[in-house]
Structure formats: structure tokens, C-alpha cells
Amino acid sequence: MSTEEKSLHFIEQIIEESLTNGFPKEQLRFRFPPEPNGYLHIGHAKSICLNFGLGLKYNAPVNLRFDDTNPAKEEQEYVDAIKEDLLWLGFNWTEERYSSDYFQQLYDWAVEMIKNNKAYVDSQSSEDMAIQKGTPTQPGVDGPYRNRSIEENLTLFEAMKNGDYPEGSHVLRAKIDMSSTNMLMRDPLMYRVLHRHHHRTGNDWKIYPMYDYAHGESDYVEQISHSICTLEFVMHRELYDWFLDQIYDKNKVRPHQYEFARLNLNYTVMSKRKLLQLVQENIVNGWDDPRMPTISGLRRRGYTAASIRKFCDIIGVAKRENVIDVSLLEFCLREDLNKTAPRVMAVLDPVKLVITNYPEDKEESLDAENNQEDDTAGFRKLPFSRELYIEREDFLEEAPAKFFRLSIGNEVRLKNAYIIKGESVVKDSEGTITEIHVTYDEDSRSGSGSEASQRKVAGTLHWVSIKHAIEAEVRLYDRLFIDEAPDSHKEKNFLEFMNTNSLEIVKGFVEPGLASSTAGDKFQFQRLGYFNTDKDSTEGKLVFNKTVGLKDAWEEKGKKEANLLMNTQKEINKYVKEKDLSNADLMLENIVSNILSIDNFSLINQTVAKNVKNDNNSLLFANLVLLHSDKVQPKDIEKEVLTKLYTMSLKSQLAAVRILAIQNLSTDAANFDEFTNQLAELKNTEKNEKVSDLLNNLKL
């Protein structure tokens, strides 16, 4: 096998095998088939890049087909948004199609199936049909209407089509096999009655085809050669093929379904239903809120199409589900923006800096490089004057040894300008610094070539000239969720993991050149991160969105939290050995404080589970985490793990462990009764006074 062949993903290998076996290359045809019931998200981007990428690779047509078979949830707004997203990502389609284009053909085929005794009208309730369908281990049974005559089925089906029956009164089902091991083959629904307005066909139809019926047949109409779906449709493939068997003409291309692993991203939800909930409950500001994982949200936040395509290329196409770290997406974005985004000056938490030995009426235009990563980016002019804004965090009156920014008596360089030295401060009545007074070295201007300009100093600060600065609203966006898998915890609502700090709005100041920026323009605010101009900007008000930081702050935070928990567990060992009660209390206070500072639910949950073992100090730590963390509760811990924790802790030789276990059980109503006998036995044998007092206060 050649190197090129080895690099092919499995879908490409399937196509290559088809071609090798004689399938005509000119008959290759693909499609991207979104349902217009919501906005596309980053998960769809993988499918888009796959399908359109195959089209480009094999010079084959790719249709955009909207599977618009459910008028209750579909809207023209979503159709328009999907087309906009595709074009922005850099892809164009061969033909724009709709499943609704084929409603008459689908109906005609359904009539033929009835005539061939392959479909029938069922008039039962959905509850009765569900009962008769059986379970994965128990076969289904035939319903009372399964053997209706062909004539009666045809009459009923036509009446359904004409709108003679209310919603829920009848459905058309395929007649396959009620005992099939694949429950999808147990007479699946083909049509249901819906008196709903369709965004394209209006009120022409009173019945609408089910997705499983319409999808494969639509592929056949369009002569799609390779129908590519995500893994959840593996079990649907048998049904896909059965429906094709009813209509297939050997002189035409027969579509084949292939499945790949969809994109799962941590710190994100991909469910359209949950994303819609965020929008409808005004938790976010619409589908294009920059915190949303939608393509439109990412675009508004400042993501580039190239970075998303690169991300999809890196993660590849696989057969197994896995979770991709969102930091990889952010890495692809930084890599792209680093090459393309102009560097500009902006100050988001300003404090006034006065250069006392700089003439009051003097102004300069300094040369500033636009992007050191781009040789063609050139330079721009920056106005400089006596009074500037710098970031408040870039100054400390008295600085520690490793503080490489401005402080009294120390020198730093102002980017593209001069070296300055901290001299004094002015404070208000509450002690807050309102002005920083510095002096500058007139001979140290950047790029002047003077000896002073080449002098090395500890740090370089960004700034804006107060006289020339433009005020701007800056929206500091962060991840929408604080947990790695917000919708994976059975006993918790994903909304419990919302990041309350996902949006902070500040008033900042930017260099004057940004006054002419327009929506979508991207910049690197030097030393702060990447930002872009938001569509809310007007002539008199600039609005910028934070796209991504210069570094992965979440990775750093994750490492810090993991390290903090690890170090806290070491403190447990010291706490247990401490003889001085006052010192022990202080140590315990610090341990609890550390536990409370951890935001990551999964990390906390895993910490409890990992410490359920035959070791007193580990049990003490697990109980402390469970008792004091506001991120995890007993119901969040796996039942087996929790039972083991309580059982072992109540038997622990360490009184502190028994005390904590009793305290946890006393607030755990769901599990308390299970341990009443063990608690009663402990009450009869307990010798520690504190433990006895706790037990006596329990209602056993």
C-alpha cells in the first residue's frame, strides 16, 4: 500500500474500493442533508467538511438537501442560516434540493407499497403501538390493524392525505417483521397526520413522511452514491436498505449508507434541542451568541472559516466515538489569527499614566509594526502624548522580585515608544491609585538605533494615548459551561453547569485607527488576546468581542485545580498527625477553602471515587470533599461508589472519618435508611464522645 493510500480515511478507502470494483467515477455523488430545525453547530462542520471535501477530492457533485419533513419544527430562517454558514465555510453546492420536492413521489411510492402489501394504516394510539413493539429482548406482536385489506388501507391513506382525519388518529406503517431483532424493523412509521403549515409547500399536505422513509428515498431520487451519516444511524441502515429494496431499479445508482463518528467536544452541548432551550429561555442572546457552538456564533465571536476547516482536518474521520478537547479548536484559531490578525493597542482596565518630563503640548506619531508574522503587513502610525492609559494590573507600587512590569523605581518599555521609570502615584480618598507618575528617557525611542533604545528592561507594556483613545465596549467571552461534559450527568440538568462568568462587559479604550473597523474585522489586542468588531458596533459606539486568549487559560486552570487537589490531599496527612488543636483547625479551614475553590464538577466527582479505598486518610478526604464541595452532592456519585464510601467510613478506626460519614449521611435522605442498622450497631459500640453525640441526635 502506498503512502498516499495509508493516509486515506476509511470513507475514502470505501470509495476507492468502489472505483476499483468498477463503479463509474462520473456517478459519484454526495450530499449534505441538514434538517432546517435549528442553526448548524461545530459538529455539523465535520460533516460539511467531509461531504464537500469528498466532492472536491473526486470532482463530484455535492447537493445541499434540506430534509424538511417535519413542519412543526422547521422554518425558513433556518434554511437561510444554513446556506449562509456553508458559504462562509467556503463550500458551494451543486444543487439545492429539499425532501419536500419529492413529497408527491414519496406518496406515490407509499401507495405502491400498500398495493404490494408492504404497508398498512394503523389506527392505534402511540402508547398501544409502543407496547406491541416489544423490547430489545422480547419480540413485538402484530397489532389489530396489521392485516387490513389493501383496499381499506388505500382508502384510509388517501383520506389521511386529504385531511379528513385529525392528528394522531392514523399512521402509515411499513409491514416488515414484528419479531425482528432490530426494533427499527418492527413495522416502522412511514407517515403521520400533521395539519401544519410547511415553509415551502404551505398547506398542500396534511400528511408528512417520517425521516427514515424520506431520507433514503430522497438519496435515491438524487442518485447519491455514498450516503454518509453519523454512528447513531448504524441500526437504521437495515431499514434504509429495506425501503430502497421496494423501489430500486437496477439500471440506476443504488445509494449505500456509511457511518462515521460525529464530533463530540468537551465543555459544550451539541443537542439542537438544548441549544434551542438556551435561546428560548434567553440564557444566551440568540443562535449567534458568541458563546454558542453554532457556526454563526463562532463566526460572530471571531472564528475564521480556515481555522474550523483546519480543525476538522486534524481530528479526521473515524469509526469510534471520542471527545475532542475544545482547546484544539482554539489552537487552530490562534494559529490562523497569529498569521493574519493585525496587532493593535487596547487597554481594558485603564489607569492614567503621566510622563512628568514629557512636554504637555507635544504629540508624536510613532511607527508600529502591524504583524511581525506577516512580512507584507507593513507599519502604521500611533499617536503618543504625555498622558496615557495602561492596564491597572501592569503596575504595583511595591513589586515582588518576579514582577516584570511597572513599579516605583523600576523601568519598563512602552511598546513602540520609550523606556519609562515609575516615580510616584496619586490616590483617591479610598486609597485607589488614580494616576501613576513616571519619567521617560528621551533617547530610548524604539527603532531610533540609539544606545539608550537598545537598553534591556524587564518588561514591555501596551498603552493608548488618552487624548487620541476611542472608548469601546468590550465583551469578554468565555466558555459557556464549567464542566467538561455538561449534559452527561444523569441526575443533573446541563443548565447547572452554566459558567456564570461566560460574559463580562467592560469599558475599554483603543487606538484611533480602529474607529474605521467594520463588523467581522479581527485584531490582536497586544498582550490581551484576539478580538473582533461585533455587528452591534455603530458609528458612535465601537463593540468588540473577545475571540480567544493568547494562551489556553482553561488548560492552566485545569492543571492548577488538579494540582491543588493533589496538594490538599497531602495536607490531609499532616492534618491527621497534627497534635495542636488550633493548628489542626487552621489546616482544616485551609483544606475546606481549597475544596470550595474547585469549579470542575467532573474533577470533584472523580476525586471522591478515587479516594474510596481502604485507607483512613483517603476516606477522610473523600468525605470532606463530599461534605464541603458545592459542586457535587451524594446523588451525583455512583450508587456503588457511595455505598462503599459510607460502609468503609463507618468502620474506620479514625473518629474524624466516622464523624464526616455520619454528617454526610444525615443530609442524604435517599441513602440514610439503607444504613440505619449499621448506624444503630455503631451507636451501641461507639466510644468516641463526639461520634456518640452525633449518633444520639440521629433518628434511628
PDB file of all heavy atoms in Angstrom, residues 4 6 70 190 218 260 266 352 358 380 384-385 402 427 480-481 489 513:
ATOM      1  N   GLU A   4       0.242   7.372   0.134  1.00  0.00           N
ATOM      2  CA  GLU A   4      -0.996   8.123  -0.071  1.00  0.00           C
ATOM      3  C   GLU A   4      -2.196   7.310   0.375  1.00  0.00           C
ATOM      4  O   GLU A   4      -3.099   7.803   1.025  1.00  0.00           O
ATOM      5  CB  GLU A   4      -1.132   8.506  -1.547  1.00  0.00           C
ATOM      6  CG  GLU A   4      -2.394   9.330  -1.817  1.00  0.00           C
ATOM      7  CD  GLU A   4      -2.564   9.689  -3.278  1.00  0.00           C
ATOM      8  OE1 GLU A   4      -1.689   9.339  -4.084  1.00  0.00           O
ATOM      9  OE2 GLU A   4      -3.591  10.309  -3.608  1.00  0.00           O
ATOM     10  N   LYS A   6      -2.293   4.950   2.592  1.00  0.00           N
ATOM     11  CA  LYS A   6      -2.312   4.828   4.040  1.00  0.00           C
ATOM     12  C   LYS A   6      -2.941   6.047   4.701  1.00  0.00           C
ATOM     13  O   LYS A   6      -3.498   5.957   5.776  1.00  0.00           O
ATOM     14  CB  LYS A   6      -0.881   4.629   4.567  1.00  0.00           C
ATOM     15  CG  LYS A   6      -0.316   3.246   4.277  1.00  0.00           C
ATOM     16  CD  LYS A   6       1.105   3.121   4.836  1.00  0.00           C
ATOM     17  CE  LYS A   6       1.679   1.756   4.535  1.00  0.00           C
ATOM     18  NZ  LYS A   6       3.073   1.610   5.017  1.00  0.00           N
ATOM     19  N   ASN A  70     -40.644  17.734   8.707  1.00  0.00           N
ATOM     20  CA  ASN A  70     -41.369  17.992   9.961  1.00  0.00           C
ATOM     21  C   ASN A  70     -41.697  19.475  10.089  1.00  0.00           C
ATOM     22  O   ASN A  70     -40.937  20.244  10.691  1.00  0.00           O
ATOM     23  CB  ASN A  70     -40.543  17.537  11.160  1.00  0.00           C
ATOM     24  CG  ASN A  70     -41.313  17.656  12.468  1.00  0.00           C
ATOM     25  OD1 ASN A  70     -42.483  18.039  12.486  1.00  0.00           O
ATOM     26  ND2 ASN A  70     -40.657  17.347  13.572  1.00  0.00           N
ATOM     27  N   MET A 190     -44.154   5.312   8.548  1.00  0.00           N
ATOM     28  CA  MET A 190     -43.777   5.952   7.291  1.00  0.00           C
ATOM     29  C   MET A 190     -44.396   7.342   7.159  1.00  0.00           C
ATOM     30  O   MET A 190     -43.760   8.263   6.645  1.00  0.00           O
ATOM     31  CB  MET A 190     -44.210   5.093   6.106  1.00  0.00           C
ATOM     32  CG  MET A 190     -43.472   3.779   5.960  1.00  0.00           C
ATOM     33  SD  MET A 190     -44.146   2.772   4.618  1.00  0.00           S
ATOM     34  CE  MET A 190     -43.893   3.833   3.187  1.00  0.00           C
ATOM     35  N   SER A 218     -34.999   9.860  -0.796  1.00  0.00           N
ATOM     36  CA  SER A 218     -34.521  11.127  -1.377  1.00  0.00           C
ATOM     37  C   SER A 218     -33.115  10.941  -1.945  1.00  0.00           C
ATOM     38  O   SER A 218     -32.788  11.486  -3.007  1.00  0.00           O
ATOM     39  CB  SER A 218     -34.526  12.230  -0.312  1.00  0.00           C
ATOM     40  OG  SER A 218     -35.832  12.483   0.159  1.00  0.00           O
ATOM     41  N   PHE A 260     -19.936   7.404  10.236  1.00  0.00           N
ATOM     42  CA  PHE A 260     -18.680   7.846  10.860  1.00  0.00           C
ATOM     43  C   PHE A 260     -19.008   8.449  12.227  1.00  0.00           C
ATOM     44  O   PHE A 260     -20.160   8.776  12.532  1.00  0.00           O
ATOM     45  CB  PHE A 260     -17.962   8.867   9.983  1.00  0.00           C
ATOM     46  CG  PHE A 260     -18.645  10.214   9.910  1.00  0.00           C
ATOM     47  CD1 PHE A 260     -18.201  11.280  10.685  1.00  0.00           C
ATOM     48  CD2 PHE A 260     -19.744  10.418   9.068  1.00  0.00           C
ATOM     49  CE1 PHE A 260     -18.830  12.517  10.629  1.00  0.00           C
ATOM     50  CE2 PHE A 260     -20.378  11.650   9.013  1.00  0.00           C
ATOM     51  CZ  PHE A 260     -19.927  12.698   9.791  1.00  0.00           C
ATOM     52  N   ASN A 266     -15.665  18.744  24.292  1.00  0.00           N
ATOM     53  CA  ASN A 266     -15.887  18.958  25.724  1.00  0.00           C
ATOM     54  C   ASN A 266     -16.269  20.416  26.011  1.00  0.00           C
ATOM     55  O   ASN A 266     -16.121  21.291  25.170  1.00  0.00           O
ATOM     56  CB  ASN A 266     -14.670  18.514  26.553  1.00  0.00           C
ATOM     57  CG  ASN A 266     -13.411  19.323  26.264  1.00  0.00           C
ATOM     58  OD1 ASN A 266     -13.397  20.256  25.479  1.00  0.00           O
ATOM     59  ND2 ASN A 266     -12.321  18.946  26.907  1.00  0.00           N
ATOM     60  N   LYS A 352      -4.589  55.921  34.616  1.00  0.00           N
ATOM     61  CA  LYS A 352      -3.895  57.031  33.948  1.00  0.00           C
ATOM     62  C   LYS A 352      -2.413  57.035  34.296  1.00  0.00           C
ATOM     63  O   LYS A 352      -2.028  56.882  35.463  1.00  0.00           O
ATOM     64  CB  LYS A 352      -4.531  58.351  34.378  1.00  0.00           C
ATOM     65  CG  LYS A 352      -3.997  59.578  33.667  1.00  0.00           C
ATOM     66  CD  LYS A 352      -4.771  60.814  34.125  1.00  0.00           C
ATOM     67  CE  LYS A 352      -4.314  62.070  33.415  1.00  0.00           C
ATOM     68  NZ  LYS A 352      -5.090  63.258  33.862  1.00  0.00           N
ATOM     69  N   TYR A 358       7.680  64.855  30.029  1.00  0.00           N
ATOM     70  CA  TYR A 358       7.331  64.951  28.609  1.00  0.00           C
ATOM     71  C   TYR A 358       6.541  66.245  28.428  1.00  0.00           C
ATOM     72  O   TYR A 358       5.604  66.528  29.191  1.00  0.00           O
ATOM     73  CB  TYR A 358       6.468  63.748  28.200  1.00  0.00           C
ATOM     74  CG  TYR A 358       6.295  63.574  26.703  1.00  0.00           C
ATOM     75  CD1 TYR A 358       7.147  62.750  25.983  1.00  0.00           C
ATOM     76  CD2 TYR A 358       5.273  64.226  26.016  1.00  0.00           C
ATOM     77  CE1 TYR A 358       6.978  62.563  24.612  1.00  0.00           C
ATOM     78  CE2 TYR A 358       5.097  64.059  24.653  1.00  0.00           C
ATOM     79  CZ  TYR A 358       5.951  63.221  23.951  1.00  0.00           C
ATOM     80  OH  TYR A 358       5.794  63.044  22.596  1.00  0.00           O
ATOM     81  N   ARG A 380       2.104  51.139  10.820  1.00  0.00           N
ATOM     82  CA  ARG A 380       1.087  52.181  10.947  1.00  0.00           C
ATOM     83  C   ARG A 380       1.632  53.242  11.891  1.00  0.00           C
ATOM     84  O   ARG A 380       2.615  53.021  12.608  1.00  0.00           O
ATOM     85  CB  ARG A 380      -0.227  51.605  11.493  1.00  0.00           C
ATOM     86  CG  ARG A 380      -0.141  51.158  12.941  1.00  0.00           C
ATOM     87  CD  ARG A 380      -1.373  50.377  13.370  1.00  0.00           C
ATOM     88  NE  ARG A 380      -1.351  50.050  14.794  1.00  0.00           N
ATOM     89  CZ  ARG A 380      -0.597  49.122  15.352  1.00  0.00           C
ATOM     90  NH1 ARG A 380       0.240  48.411  14.602  1.00  0.00           N
ATOM     91  NH2 ARG A 380      -0.654  48.888  16.650  1.00  0.00           N
ATOM     92  N   PHE A 384       1.262  59.524  20.166  1.00  0.00           N
ATOM     93  CA  PHE A 384       1.847  59.405  21.503  1.00  0.00           C
ATOM     94  C   PHE A 384       1.828  60.783  22.155  1.00  0.00           C
ATOM     95  O   PHE A 384       2.077  61.794  21.499  1.00  0.00           O
ATOM     96  CB  PHE A 384       3.286  58.890  21.399  1.00  0.00           C
ATOM     97  CG  PHE A 384       3.945  58.607  22.724  1.00  0.00           C
ATOM     98  CD1 PHE A 384       3.743  57.402  23.374  1.00  0.00           C
ATOM     99  CD2 PHE A 384       4.770  59.556  23.316  1.00  0.00           C
ATOM    100  CE1 PHE A 384       4.352  57.136  24.595  1.00  0.00           C
ATOM    101  CE2 PHE A 384       5.375  59.307  24.535  1.00  0.00           C
ATOM    102  CZ  PHE A 384       5.160  58.094  25.174  1.00  0.00           C
ATOM    103  N   SER A 385       1.501  60.801  23.448  1.00  0.00           N
ATOM    104  CA  SER A 385       1.442  62.087  24.148  1.00  0.00           C
ATOM    105  C   SER A 385       1.829  61.897  25.613  1.00  0.00           C
ATOM    106  O   SER A 385       2.201  60.796  26.042  1.00  0.00           O
ATOM    107  CB  SER A 385       0.033  62.691  24.034  1.00  0.00           C
ATOM    108  OG  SER A 385      -0.922  61.824  24.623  1.00  0.00           O
ATOM    109  N   LYS A 402       9.756  38.849  40.976  1.00  0.00           N
ATOM    110  CA  LYS A 402       9.462  38.349  39.640  1.00  0.00           C
ATOM    111  C   LYS A 402       8.340  39.124  38.940  1.00  0.00           C
ATOM    112  O   LYS A 402       7.729  38.631  37.998  1.00  0.00           O
ATOM    113  CB  LYS A 402       9.095  36.869  39.711  1.00  0.00           C
ATOM    114  CG  LYS A 402      10.278  35.991  40.103  1.00  0.00           C
ATOM    115  CD  LYS A 402       9.921  34.509  40.004  1.00  0.00           C
ATOM    116  CE  LYS A 402      11.126  33.655  40.337  1.00  0.00           C
ATOM    117  NZ  LYS A 402      10.825  32.199  40.237  1.00  0.00           N
ATOM    118  N   LYS A 427      -3.486  58.946  44.721  1.00  0.00           N
ATOM    119  CA  LYS A 427      -4.576  58.067  45.162  1.00  0.00           C
ATOM    120  C   LYS A 427      -5.791  58.897  45.550  1.00  0.00           C
ATOM    121  O   LYS A 427      -5.675  60.059  45.931  1.00  0.00           O
ATOM    122  CB  LYS A 427      -4.131  57.222  46.358  1.00  0.00           C
ATOM    123  CG  LYS A 427      -2.955  56.295  46.062  1.00  0.00           C
ATOM    124  CD  LYS A 427      -2.579  55.473  47.299  1.00  0.00           C
ATOM    125  CE  LYS A 427      -1.410  54.544  47.015  1.00  0.00           C
ATOM    126  NZ  LYS A 427      -1.018  53.730  48.199  1.00  0.00           N
ATOM    127  N   LEU A 480     -19.095  28.592  27.844  1.00  0.00           N
ATOM    128  CA  LEU A 480     -20.455  28.674  28.362  1.00  0.00           C
ATOM    129  C   LEU A 480     -20.677  27.735  29.541  1.00  0.00           C
ATOM    130  O   LEU A 480     -21.550  27.967  30.376  1.00  0.00           O
ATOM    131  CB  LEU A 480     -21.439  28.357  27.238  1.00  0.00           C
ATOM    132  CG  LEU A 480     -22.902  28.734  27.426  1.00  0.00           C
ATOM    133  CD1 LEU A 480     -23.057  30.209  27.785  1.00  0.00           C
ATOM    134  CD2 LEU A 480     -23.698  28.406  26.163  1.00  0.00           C
ATOM    135  N   PHE A 481     -19.870  26.659  29.620  1.00  0.00           N
ATOM    136  CA  PHE A 481     -20.041  25.670  30.688  1.00  0.00           C
ATOM    137  C   PHE A 481     -18.724  25.467  31.438  1.00  0.00           C
ATOM    138  O   PHE A 481     -17.648  25.575  30.846  1.00  0.00           O
ATOM    139  CB  PHE A 481     -20.517  24.335  30.113  1.00  0.00           C
ATOM    140  CG  PHE A 481     -21.853  24.415  29.430  1.00  0.00           C
ATOM    141  CD1 PHE A 481     -21.941  24.572  28.054  1.00  0.00           C
ATOM    142  CD2 PHE A 481     -23.024  24.361  30.168  1.00  0.00           C
ATOM    143  CE1 PHE A 481     -23.167  24.663  27.422  1.00  0.00           C
ATOM    144  CE2 PHE A 481     -24.259  24.455  29.544  1.00  0.00           C
ATOM    145  CZ  PHE A 481     -24.334  24.609  28.175  1.00  0.00           C
ATOM    146  N   HIS A 489     -24.366  13.970  32.801  1.00  0.00           N
ATOM    147  CA  HIS A 489     -24.613  13.547  34.175  1.00  0.00           C
ATOM    148  C   HIS A 489     -26.111  13.290  34.362  1.00  0.00           C
ATOM    149  O   HIS A 489     -26.928  14.211  34.314  1.00  0.00           O
ATOM    150  CB  HIS A 489     -24.108  14.611  35.148  1.00  0.00           C
ATOM    151  CG  HIS A 489     -22.683  15.016  34.886  1.00  0.00           C
ATOM    152  ND1 HIS A 489     -21.626  14.181  35.125  1.00  0.00           N
ATOM    153  CD2 HIS A 489     -22.154  16.156  34.377  1.00  0.00           C
ATOM    154  CE1 HIS A 489     -20.494  14.794  34.793  1.00  0.00           C
ATOM    155  NE2 HIS A 489     -20.793  15.996  34.328  1.00  0.00           N
ATOM    156  N   GLY A 513      -7.007  54.217  15.181  1.00  0.00           N
ATOM    157  CA  GLY A 513      -7.156  53.564  13.884  1.00  0.00           C
ATOM    158  C   GLY A 513      -8.311  52.591  13.817  1.00  0.00           C
ATOM    159  O   GLY A 513      -8.813  52.266  12.734  1.00  0.00           O
TER     160      GLY A 513
END
